[in-house]
Each structure stands twice: as C-alpha cells, then as structure tokens.
C-alpha cells in the first residue's frame, strides 16, 4: 500500500453523490465521480467528474475530464476536456487543455486554456 496521503491508483469505478446528499470536506476519487447532490470542499478526481443538472460544487476541483450540467462556484483544473452543458452555471476560474461551451451555459470568471509544459516559443 502507498504512503498515507498518496492518491490511490486509477480505477474504472464510478462513485456517486446522490440528490439530497450534502458533503462538506475534501474528496479523493481514484475513478470517475458523478455529483447530483451538493459538495463544499476540494475534489481530486483521477477520472471524469460529472455534475448533474441538480448537482452543486462550491470549492475546487482537479480532474482529467469534466461535464458540468449543474453549478460550480470556485476553481476547476481539467487536464483534458471541460464541457459546460446548456444548463450549467460556472462562477470562478478555469484551467483546462480544451473547453466546450454549449449555448445557454453561464460562465463568469477567468479561463486559461491550452497545452501545459510546452517549450517556450522563440
């Protein structure tokens, strides 16, 4: 087994936070995570994070991919693709490689996009 604060190896598991559930605190997820309830805290998701229509996140999220249909207030760092669906509301900062925003989505904040760890251009 790894060190106490070491993230577990990625898995194909999907964890769910159901509607009517509220969690306050930090969450480490080795697979995918679907949020239909409310979370206040910091999320580290090795796979894909999905915030459903009724889902809410107030805090910070780090993940590989994300689909947001609900609301997020805070900061999100996505290694690959962030998709903001038509019903989504995001207030905060985005750092991502690629971004998709459907008409109807509401985004207020800053966005930094593109490849990471690139060589400086001459």
């Amino acid at each position: 087994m790894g060190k106490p604060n070491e993230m577990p190896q990625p898995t194909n598991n999907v964890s769910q936070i159901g509607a009517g559930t509220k969690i306050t605190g930090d969450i480490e997820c080795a697979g995918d995570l679907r949020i239909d309830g409310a979370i206040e805290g910091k999320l580290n998701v090795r796979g894909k994070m999905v915030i459903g229509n009724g889902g809410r996140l107030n805090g910070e999220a780090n993940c590989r991919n994300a689909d947001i249909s609900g609301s997020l207030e805070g900061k999100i760092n996505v290694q690959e693709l962030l998709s903001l669906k038509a019903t989504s509301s995001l207030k905060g900062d985005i750092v991502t490689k690629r971004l998709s925003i459907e008409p109807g989505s509401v985004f207020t904040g800053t966005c930094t996009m593109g490849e990471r760890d690139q060589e400086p251009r001459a």
Side-chain angles (χ1 to χ4, degrees), residues 51-106:
I51 300 179
N53 284 346
R56 292 180 309 146
L57 171 61
N58 187 348
E60 183 178 337
N62 297 291
C63 57
R64 178 168 303 284
N65 291 290
D67 281 352
I68 300 177
S69 296
S71 67
L72 186 149
E73 186 169 337
K75 182 176 182 179
I76 186 165
N77 186 339
V78 181
Q79 294 172 357
E80 294 178 10
L81 174 64
L82 169 60
S83 296
L84 300 178
K85 304 301 183 184
T87 57
S88 70
S89 170
L90 194 150
K91 183 177 182 180
D93 300 326
I94 295 172
V95 177
T96 187
K97 183 176 179 181
R98 294 179 295 145
L99 177 64
S100 169
I101 302 177
E102 291 183 359
S105 175
V106 177

Side-chain angles (χ1 to χ4, degrees), residues 1-63:
M1 184 160 234
K3 297 174 186 167
N5 290 327
E6 191 174 284
M7 183 74 158
Q9 291 298 313
T11 69
N12 291 329
N13 294 336
V14 177
S15 299
Q16 292 187 299
I17 309 297
T21 302
K22 181 179 179 183
I23 296 175
T24 302
D26 297 343
I27 296 175
E28 301 277 339
C29 183
D32 297 340
L33 177 65
R34 179 175 176 92
I35 302 164
D36 291 307
I39 297 178
E40 187 169 328
K42 183 176 180 179
L43 301 180
N44 286 310
V45 180
R46 287 278 181 136
K48 183 176 187 175
M49 180 183 74
V50 175
I51 300 179
N53 284 346
R56 292 180 309 146
L57 171 61
N58 187 348
E60 183 178 337
N62 297 291
C63 57

